[in-house]
């Protein structure tokens, strides 16, 4: 609710959306990513769409999530 400031402005965000989602239309995902980019460093916001994906997940999305986690979170020993 409050303004984004400090270190939070540099947080990395991965937003994923299927282009055939009947519950949350792709347009809402696009609007959300634009709002995020206006609140935090837009260079740190990644928006991925997946062709044919409905309100679910797919292998490609899970691979993108894994790569994002591997890149931005420290390894667990």
């Amino acid at each position: 609710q409050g303004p984004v400031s400090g270190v939070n402005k540099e947080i990395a965000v991965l937003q994923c959306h299927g282009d055939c989602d009947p519950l949350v239309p792709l347009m809402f995902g696009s609007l959300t990513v634009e709002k995020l980019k206006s609140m935090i460093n837009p260079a740190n916001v990644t928006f991925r769409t997946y062709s044919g994906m409905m309100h679910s997940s797919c292998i490609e999305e899970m691979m993108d999530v894994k790569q994002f986690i591997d890149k931005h979170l420290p390894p667990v020993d």
Side-chain angles (χ1 to χ4, degrees), residues 1-72:
Q1 294 281 336
V4 178
S5 62
V7 70
N8 291 332
K9 279 197 161 285
E10 295 302 319
I11 192 167
V13 174
L14 171 63
Q15 182 183 337
C16 302
H17 208 105
D19 68 354
C20 293
D21 189 331
L23 298 177
V24 182
L26 181 57
M27 177 185 70
F28 292 161
S30 297
L31 292 171
T32 300
V33 80
E34 291 309 313
K35 180 65 174 175
L36 278 170
K37 286 180 177 181
S38 75
M39 297 171 65
I40 64 175
N41 182 347
N44 294 341
V45 179
T46 302
F47 184 55
R48 298 259 191 261
T49 59
Y50 303 92
S51 179
M53 190 171 86
M54 300 182 73
H55 195 73
S56 60
S57 63
C58 65
I59 295 294
E60 294 82 9
E61 180 188 24
M62 293 298 101
M63 293 305 299
D64 287 342
V65 170
K66 181 187 182 314
Q67 289 175 356
F68 180 83
I69 290 170
D70 288 345
K71 180 177 179 183
H72 295 286

